[in-house]
């Protein structure tokens, strides 16, 4: 949820939905903020289980 919230904030700030949004979103300082916010959240989405290779 923190990532989505930050994504929408960047879209509103830049008034764009192009590549520059992800360039801004993936900057180390912004990723740090997202990680901090995500650590405070109670909702957790576990990683998907991958099928075993035969």
């Amino acid at each position: 949820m923190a990532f989505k919230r930050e994504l929408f904030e960047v879209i509103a700030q830049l008034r764009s939905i192009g590549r520059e949004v992800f360039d801004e979103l993936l900057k180390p300082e912004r990723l740090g903020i997202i990680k901090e916010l995500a650590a405070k959240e109670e909702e957790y989405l576990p990683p998907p289980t991958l099928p075993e290779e035969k």
Side-chain angles (χ1 to χ4, degrees):
M1 295 303 297
F3 182 82
K4 287 182 182 180
R5 192 173 19 247
E6 200 67 21
L7 173 64
F8 288 124
E9 186 176 315
V10 173
I11 289 171
Q13 177 186 1
L14 297 179
R15 299 178 193 259
S16 171
I17 56 171
R19 181 182 175 113
E20 60 274 5
V21 170
F22 290 99
D23 290 341
E24 178 66 28
L25 196 61
L26 297 176
K27 286 184 177 178
E29 60 273 6
R30 189 154 318 249
L31 283 176
I33 293 169
I34 293 170
K35 286 180 184 179
E36 287 176 21
L37 293 172
K40 296 177 184 177
E41 291 180 348
E42 291 182 20
E43 186 175 326
Y44 172 71
L45 181 62
T49 54
L50 300 175
E52 294 182 24
E53 292 186 29
K54 292 183 179 181

